Amino acid sequence: MADSNAASEAEPGALESGSGPATVDSGPVTLLQTLRHLDSGPRGLTEAQVAERQVRLGPNALPSQREISWPAALLRSLCDPFTAVLLCLGLVSVAVSSWGTACVILLLAAVSCVLRASGEHRADRSMAALRGLVATTATVVRRETEELPPYAREIPVDELVPGDVIRLGPGDLVPADVRLLRAQGLTVHQAALTGESAPVSKGAGGLAGVGARAGAGDGGAGAAGRGGPGAGEFGRPEFCFQGSSVASGSARAVVVATGARTRFAAAHSRTGAGRRASAFDRSVHGISWILVRFMLLIPPLVLMAGAALHDRGQETLPFAVAVAVGLTPEMLPVVVTLCLARGAALLARSHGVIVTRLPALHDLGAVDVLCLDKTGTLTQDRPVLHRALGPDGRDDPEVLRWAAVNAWWTLHLADLPAPDALDDAVLEAADEDEAMAYDGVAALPFDPLRRLATALVRTPGRTGRHTLVVKGAAEAVLERCVLADEERAQLLALAARQADEGLRVLAVALADRPARIRGRECTPADERGLDFRGFVTFRDALAPTAAEALRVLADRGVAVRILTGDHPGTAVRTCRDLGIAVPADAVLTGGRIGGFTDAELAEAAARTVVFARCTAEDKARVAVALRAGGHTVGHLGDGVNDLPALRAADVGIAPRDAVDVVRESADVVLAEKDLTAVGHGIEAGRYAGGNIATYLRITLSSNLGNVIAMLAAGLLLPFLPMLPAQVLVQNLCFDGAQLAFAHDRPHPSVLRGPTVLRPRDLLRFITRFGVLNAVADLATFGVLGLALSGFAGLADASAFHSGWFTENLLTQALGMVLLRAGRRAAGGGPGPIGWAAGALAAVGLLLPVSPLGSLLGLSALPVLYYLLLAAVLALYAVGLVGVGARVERGGQGDLGVARGTTQGAT
């Protein structure tokens, strides 16, 4: 049996060959050829044929994917460079018998691994949700033997095989990929596969889409959707695909693909590879490798310096490890998790937005390009009447009245269960009393082959005559009207202009007919010699919150890109109605996307606003191209055709009512498909990202300053500048205080643009402020010398350790207050950062004089030291404010955080 890729190159869902029928060649083939290749016919398969194919081809079930086990996910998390370094440092600490340091390091590494493994294990459970879109039973036509007549019965869909003949009716889910044998008024919803908003007409002879103007509308039944050029294989009217559902009509079809060989399964299999590294992953990875380089460099330097200058080898090793640990933000996994978890909890509680993968909240805050479909997001899932035009192109209310008469009586006389979307829009805009004033006689419901709906009515006050009201596609109606060729061409051009502006167009025509007995059926032969009356045009109803949500996104530096399966004119019209600027060269169709190389597409995507007639592959390629251009990309989608793009984007977003597999695969799930909820998510992500960035800036700059000072002190002093236990306690106190950033409320300025951690910018920041911190430490050495009666007083190791311990915690407390995001925010009291910094300062002042301090080798210091230290801290604070102000004037990039407005934002 050939694989699914081989099948995809053939006619959709062709029967794979093993020892059985040959594979259908690629390209269009006749129905007879399809049946021959499937070794089947209109009477269905025999039970013997079914049994043989079930054994050879397997059940009609979607491919299962083995979930990654918890131990495997845990082991995979060890590949993170930051976690690996922590483990190495912990093992070295064990080797030198520094048990306290080793326990803390290994505990933090274990917490980091467990947190990462939990997220990945949960994210790998989406495959089973595919079954939610698949029907459970199907009506199949089979024969016991070749001689016996066929019979119809219900069977579980997993028993279907290629070659089976099935029946489809309104509301049925298509259980496999099928080719139509015959169809009557068949329209299907395949938005989950293509993103098209309207039902699509299907026909056994492949004629359903012939002559229809894409996006122009077909009339009556609302089956205006058309598989345009970008619809690809899904646009072929003779095929229906698993994952779609029947909107109206009925059909008999032959199964051409089952199980893993369906287009539905193929769409998901393209998402089977692991998710690309997100913005958060790339940032943390880059920062981790910066720390790795530092930590691999520092211990050897300390060891060599100690051995060369003071003949301390074994004694220096624990200190060298402690120095490396001192540079490491050990609490990074905990702080990051707390910031993201708290933001996610508030988001879920306040706005019903669920974050299924915690790092996705950071990615959401970093998004500067949001890709989305227009249907259900920018527009509602229904059309509304735009205008009623006479033959001269001017408004004519009489055209709307006759369109309403047609819609009302085809609905009631043809026993339709409900009006279709276009008829509903007509009846909503018209006066129904006027339509009911006419007495219906007979009706022909919408037929996707003729693309017409017809009603025969009796006009009040006229006896012996009836009025035939015909409504449908412009081409179909005009060819039945009594018009000169030039006049018909002008009217077709008028309809084309309306369609090019993104409007759906229906034509209305009348005819006077002799009275007939009520109940006598109309026939297509009656639809001749018509008198053309005008057009009714429709546009998509705009989502009520879309315009305001787009304005908010633009203010926050998020550019919107429209990726849709609909006609480009329809998408551009929606953008124009919502105030989204779409230049003439900012529209790209799926047919052209396929001809671009990756580099060419990246260049084109930078200036394109609307991507129309997109397939699933097109959407994914656009997301990759935008990422290649340096953007952080979010993708909002709800159909199977959005799965590859959700995987390719930095953060995938889906509404709660999306296709099950899409919802389970998304990083962020919205209570409703509403851009306002996306805006709330971006706000929460930027607040969380701002806090994480502040934590990293303050921690790394402080740690780097301490390490530089430790190296200098190690060269100057005859003893270790700080004992390993003291380094560990100092780090734990500082890291404990940093947990307050999970509860901080940054300044609203963080919302102005995307927040992305950039390792190079962060390195510049920590270098500047780390050097400033080291200068403060070295000044403290001088203060200690003065307070302890000259440089000789520095020989007192306990006093030196105590003085530097206190100064370190006080400078770190100052850095927390002065370097936090939005430090100039007024009012509201000290807040969590102020209280945490105050507690840290208190520990620095009180611990050396406490009983616990003596256990750590610390002691009390003279009052003169504290007076001189206050002067050093004052100068340090002035330096922080001065350097910080200069950095801000130079741009936010120097803060290690990229913020700005993306070109092309709405």
Side-chain angles (χ1 to χ4, degrees):
M1 178 168 48
D3 61 17
S4 58
N5 290 333
S8 67
E9 295 172 359
E11 179 179 296
L15 176 64
E16 290 75 1
S17 62
S19 57
T23 302
V24 177
D25 295 331
S26 60
V29 294
T30 66
L31 178 57
L32 181 59
Q33 288 175 308
T34 299
L35 292 174
R36 284 176 177 172
H37 282 302
L38 293 169
D39 193 18
S40 181
R43 301 172 68 229
L45 299 175
T46 65
E47 295 295 344
Q49 288 176 307
V50 170
E52 183 271 333
R53 296 186 187 191
Q54 285 177 340
V55 171
R56 180 163 53 86
L57 301 177
N60 178 32
L62 293 165
S64 60
Q65 181 180 13
R66 185 175 63 87
E67 292 184 6
I68 297 178
S69 65
W70 171 260
L74 191 62
L75 289 175
R76 191 168 62 181
S77 67
L78 295 176
C79 298
D80 176 70
F82 185 76
T83 303
V85 169
L86 284 180
L87 289 174
C88 291
L89 291 175
L91 294 176
V92 172
S93 299
V94 170
V96 299
S97 300
S98 182
W99 301 108
T101 302
C103 289
V104 172
I105 291 175
L106 294 176
L107 176 63
L108 293 173
V111 170
S112 175
C113 290
V114 169
L115 291 174
R116 179 180 291 270
S118 298
E120 293 187 358
H121 187 65
R122 183 176 60 249
D124 289 333
R125 298 176 182 172
S126 63
M127 187 63 185
L130 275 169
R131 307 185 193 281
L133 247 194
V134 181
T136 57
T137 62
T139 303
V140 66
V141 176
R142 287 177 179 169
R143 296 170 290 161
E144 291 289 346
T145 64
E146 290 284 355
E147 296 77 17
L148 294 178
Y151 64 96
R153 62 188 177 96
E154 289 284 322
I155 64 168
V157 294
D158 60 2
E159 296 180 7
L160 286 175
V161 296
D164 262 330
V165 174
I166 64 171
R167 293 176 179 175
L168 297 173
D172 286 348
L173 293 174
V174 179
D177 289 355
V178 301
R179 176 158 184 168
L180 299 176
L181 298 176
R182 66 170 182 262
Q184 182 176 3
L186 183 67
T187 64
V188 299
H189 289 288
Q190 56 183 33
L193 299 172
T194 65
E196 290 181 282
S197 57
V200 178
S201 300
K202 297 289 184 176
L207 300 175
V210 176
R213 184 175 184 81
D218 291 336
R226 275 291 165 259
E233 59 201 20
F234 296 115
R236 297 177 68 173
E238 68 272 23
F239 287 96
C240 294
F241 299 89
Q242 186 182 58
S244 56
S245 61
V246 178
S248 63
S250 60
R252 178 175 288 209
V254 60
V255 174
V256 295
T258 57
R261 297 164 294 277
T262 64
R263 286 295 178 266
F264 184 76
H268 184 270
S269 67
R270 288 188 288 270
T271 72
R275 177 183 292 277
R276 294 170 180 267
S278 67
F280 180 81
D281 297 327
R282 295 194 301 270
S283 298
V284 172
H285 191 273
I287 293 168
S288 298
W289 279 112
I290 290 176
L291 297 176
V292 167
R293 295 184 183 98
F294 274 111
M295 286 183 286
L296 292 178
L297 177 65
I298 289 171
L301 289 177
V302 175
L303 289 173
M304 288 187 294
L309 298 178
H310 303 292
D311 196 24
R312 296 195 301 261
Q314 184 69 23
E315 179 189 4
T316 309
L317 185 56
F319 176 71
V321 174
V323 171
V325 174
L327 182 64
T328 307
E330 302 97 333
M331 299 296 285
L332 178 62
V334 179
V335 170
V336 167
T337 301
L338 283 176
C339 287
L340 297 177
R342 185 170 183 271
L346 291 174
L347 197 58
R349 185 165 58 249
S350 302
H351 305 291
V353 177
I354 307 300
V355 179
T356 62
R357 184 178 63 90
L358 277 184
L361 184 61
H362 167 274
D363 297 335
L364 196 57
V367 164
D368 60 350
V369 174
L370 178 63
C371 299
L372 50 88
D373 194 352
K374 69 176 186 61
T375 305
T377 307
L378 303 180
T379 64
Q380 302 178 50
D381 292 325
R382 63 183 183 88
V384 294
L385 185 81
H386 180 62
R387 294 177 68 188
L389 306 175
D392 57 359
R394 298 179 182 177
D395 291 334
D396 187 349
E398 286 295 305
V399 177
L400 175 60
R401 179 168 63 86
W402 285 116
V405 169
N406 175 281
W408 178 267
W409 288 111
T410 52
L411 171 66
H412 287 80
L413 295 178
D415 294 327
L416 298 176
D420 83 305
L422 296 182
D423 282 348
D424 204 24
V426 168
L427 295 175
E428 183 179 345
D431 186 348
E432 289 190 10
D433 291 338
E434 291 187 2
M436 294 173 61
Y438 295 83
D439 189 11
V441 177
L444 280 175
F446 174 78
D447 184 342
L449 293 177
R450 296 181 301 109
R451 294 175 294 137
L452 297 173
T454 301
L456 186 67
V457 299
R458 180 183 297 111
T459 303
R462 294 187 62 193
T463 58
R465 306 297 295 178
H466 290 164
T467 302
L468 189 74
V469 187
V470 179
K471 171 170 62 65
E475 299 92 333
V477 172
L478 287 170
E479 71 181 12
R480 291 167 171 80
C481 292
V482 180
L483 295 168
D485 290 343
E486 182 179 353
E487 186 179 4
R488 181 177 290 106
Q490 291 175 349
L491 292 172
L492 286 172
L494 175 60
R497 288 195 299 272
Q498 303 300 312
D500 289 340
E501 292 180 4
L503 300 172
R504 300 182 190 179
V505 182
L506 295 179
V508 180
L510 307 177
D512 193 49
R513 296 288 186 261
R516 66 179 66 179
I517 300 173
R518 178 186 294 274
R520 179 186 168 191
E521 292 184 357
C522 290
T523 66
D526 294 322
E527 301 165 340
R528 300 293 176 187
L530 305 179
D531 177 24
F532 180 75
R533 295 305 303 266
F535 298 108
V536 284
T537 62
F538 306 84
R539 60 174 176 81
D540 289 328
L542 301 179
T545 60
E548 177 62 19
L550 288 169
R551 186 192 64 77
V552 171
L553 290 175
D555 290 343
R556 294 177 180 172
V558 179
V560 172
R561 298 291 182 260
I562 312 300
L563 278 65
T564 179
D566 274 342
H567 188 271
T570 304
V572 171
R573 175 79 194 201
T574 299
C575 292
R576 186 183 305 135
D577 291 342
L578 289 170
I580 303 176
V582 184
D585 61 346
V587 180
L588 197 61
T589 58
R592 294 181 58 197
I593 292 174
F596 284 145
T597 64
D598 291 342
E600 292 170 340
L601 182 58
E603 180 181 353
R607 62 176 183 272
T608 303
V609 177
V610 173
F611 300 85
R613 293 299 189 196
C614 287
T615 64
E617 293 81 1
D618 293 334
K619 292 184 178 184
R621 287 194 66 202
V622 169
V624 172
L626 289 169
R627 292 183 64 179
H631 298 289
T632 302
V633 179
H635 184 90
L636 172 60
D638 59 358
V640 175
N641 63 324
D642 290 301
L643 269 173
L646 259 67
R647 290 283 187 177
D650 289 285
V651 55
I653 311 168
R656 185 171 54 189
D657 58 355
V659 173
D660 288 350
V661 66
V662 174
R663 184 177 64 250
E664 296 295 330
S665 299
D667 303 311
V668 178
V669 178
L670 311 178
E672 297 179 358
K673 196 174 182 182
D674 187 351
L675 279 183
T676 303
V678 178
H680 292 312
I682 289 175
E683 177 181 342
R686 290 185 179 174
Y687 278 137
N691 284 336
I692 293 170
T694 303
Y695 163 77
L696 283 171
R697 292 199 305 267
I698 296 173
T699 301
L700 293 179
S701 59
S702 177
N703 289 357
L704 180 62
N706 287 340
V707 167
I708 294 173
M710 282 185 181
L711 292 175
L715 298 176
L716 298 174
L717 299 175
F719 53 83
L720 294 178
M722 194 172 286
L723 299 178
Q726 294 167 353
V727 173
L728 184 60
V729 170
Q730 175 186 278
N731 287 342
L732 288 177
C733 291
F734 186 37
D735 290 334
Q738 296 278 37
L739 294 178
F741 282 110
H743 303 276
D744 190 29
R745 184 75 169 177
H747 193 271
S749 61
V750 302
L751 298 178
R752 294 175 186 167
T755 303
V756 183
L757 293 171
R758 301 197 185 279
R760 290 186 179 181
D761 294 336
L762 183 64
L763 180 60
R764 284 200 299 269
F765 180 92
I766 63 176
T767 301
R768 294 181 182 182
F769 285 93
V771 170
L772 183 61
N773 187 275
V775 170
D777 288 343
L778 295 174
T780 302
F781 297 165
V783 166
L784 281 168
L786 292 175
L788 300 176
S789 303
F791 186 78
L794 294 179
D796 184 348
S798 177
F800 183 89
H801 294 160
S802 301
W804 197 15
F805 183 90
T806 297
E807 182 267 347
N808 269 336
L809 293 188
L810 291 177
T811 53
Q812 288 170 343
L814 276 175
M816 287 180 63
V817 174
L818 298 179
L819 293 182
R820 64 180 285 262
R823 59 184 178 276
R824 293 189 296 273
I833 299 299
W835 288 113
L840 186 63
V843 171
L845 292 170
L846 299 177
L847 185 61
V849 300
S850 69
L852 181 59
S854 61
L855 295 177
L856 293 172
L858 303 175
S859 60
L861 294 168
V863 176
L864 178 60
Y865 166 74
Y866 293 103
L867 295 176
L868 294 174
L869 179 61
V872 172
L873 293 176
L875 292 174
Y876 175 66
V878 171
L880 282 179
V881 173
V883 175
R886 198 173 85 178
V887 167
E888 286 190 357
R889 286 196 300 271
Q892 294 284 357
D894 291 333
L895 295 176
V897 181
R899 294 186 192 136
T901 302
T902 302
Q903 294 298 321
T906 57

